[in-house]
Amino acid sequence: MPSRNSDDRLIYRRAENGEMVGYTPAEYGVRKDDGGGVVKPVNSSGGLLFLSVLASLFAGGVVYGIVRIALDGTWNILGEVWWVIPVGVFVPVAAWSSYFKERRAEKLRKASNLARPVE
C-alpha cells in the first residue's frame, strides 16, 4: 500500500477559538510558535506584508549603494561589504515568500471556514 501524500497529512494545532483543529500544510501557513525564542515572531499576513515592504526598501538601499560605488569608482568599499549584496537579495525574497505563503493559507482557511492557528 503506498504511503499517503504529504498534503493529506494534517497538522493538529490549537485555533484562536481554543479548540484543536487539523490543518493541511497549505492551510497552516507559516510557523506559528515562538520557537523558544525571547521575541515573539511576526506571523500574520499584515505583519509579514510590513516586513516584506521594509525588506524591499532595504534591498533598494543596497542597489542605491552599488550604483553609488559604481559612479564614484570606489570599488574597494565593495570588498569590505560584499556580504550585503546576498543579504539584500535573500531577505526580501524570504520575506515575500513567507507573506505569500501565509496569504494563501488565510484564503484556504477562509474557504474551509477554519479559525487561525495560534501555535
Side-chain angles (χ1 to χ4, degrees), residues 17-38:
N17 57 10
E19 56 185 64
M20 291 297 284
V21 178
Y23 300 95
T24 63
E27 291 170 338
Y28 184 67
V30 298
R31 188 171 146 178
K32 304 293 190 276
D33 64 347
D34 62 2
V38 176

Side-chain angles (χ1 to χ4, degrees), residues 5-6 21-22 24 28 30-31 42-43 57 61 71 77 92 103 105 111:
N5 189 352
S6 65
V21 178
T24 63
Y28 184 67
V30 298
R31 188 171 146 178
V42 175
N43 54 27
L57 290 174
L71 291 176
I77 295 172
R103 188 73 181 125

Side-chain angles (χ1 to χ4, degrees), residues 6-93:
S6 65
D7 290 337
D8 294 338
R9 296 185 190 146
L10 296 179
I11 301 169
Y12 290 94
R13 296 290 188 259
R14 190 163 311 280
E16 286 179 323
N17 57 10
E19 56 185 64
M20 291 297 284
V21 178
Y23 300 95
T24 63
E27 291 170 338
Y28 184 67
V30 298
R31 188 171 146 178
K32 304 293 190 276
D33 64 347
D34 62 2
V38 176
V39 178
K40 186 173 179 182
V42 175
N43 54 27
S44 66
S45 64
L48 290 171
L49 176 62
F50 173 75
L51 291 177
S52 299
V53 170
L54 195 63
S56 295
L57 290 174
F58 172 71
V62 169
V63 170
Y64 173 76
I66 292 172
V67 169
R68 290 299 306 175
I69 288 171
L71 291 176
D72 295 343
T74 54
W75 292 102
N76 59 335
I77 295 172
L78 198 57
E80 297 171 11
V81 294
W82 63 269
W83 56 270
V84 174
I85 296 170
V87 170
V89 171
F90 173 74
V91 171
V93 168

